[in-house]
Amino acid sequence: MISNNMYNHINLVGKAANASLLRHQVISENIANQDTPGYKRKEVLFEGVLQEALMAQDKLSDIDMSKLTPKIQINKTGSSYRLDGNNVNIDTEMTELTKNQIKYNVLIDEISKNFSRIQTVLNR
């Protein structure tokens, strides 16, 4: 993490990209356990953590980026589609995986554009 207020946007996008990577791992774990009896699907909570942090502070620069960490939640309340108690729906997981991949690509593109802008300014 770059420690300068000038890089808050990059740090924030980096945190979101890390959360997206974690989400990919969790979704992959859900898919791998689709046939495991009693397995409960997991999900990554980051957007809610970010929203709470943004509502608590007036400016992005006031947010403590070190406390902005994604959380993994086990979905015990979700409806189970099977008698063995497993609540993984492969169609839902594949949809979430695709959405997450698109989100990750957008975040990486945003980071790349930010560094490109900084490089342009430094080369002048």
Side-chain angles (χ1 to χ4, degrees), residues 27-84:
I27 293 170
S28 296
E29 188 177 312
N30 289 342
I31 291 170
N33 286 292
Q34 67 173 325
D35 293 327
T36 304
Y39 179 83
K40 300 297 182 195
R41 75 180 298 266
K42 297 175 184 169
E43 53 194 17
V44 173
L45 306 175
F46 178 71
E47 288 77 8
V49 172
L50 175 60
Q51 188 173 14
E52 286 177 17
L54 288 172
M55 292 179 75
Q57 302 296 331
D58 292 334
K59 298 183 293 186
L60 180 63
S61 60
D62 294 338
I63 295 175
D64 183 1
M65 293 289 174
S66 66
K67 294 181 180 177
L68 207 54
T69 56
K71 298 176 183 168
I72 296 176
Q73 180 180 30
I74 298 173
N75 187 342
K76 294 181 180 177
T77 59
S79 59
S80 181
Y81 300 102
R82 303 182 338 213
L83 295 176
D84 64 3

Side-chain angles (χ1 to χ4, degrees), residues 1 29 31 39 61 66 86 88 95 100 105 108-109 111 113 115-116 123:
M1 185 165 66
E29 188 177 312
I31 291 170
Y39 179 83
S61 60
S66 66
N86 185 313
V88 174
T95 301
N100 189 56
N105 289 342
I108 294 302
D109 188 48
I111 292 171
K113 285 179 183 175
F115 280 117
S116 179
N123 288 336

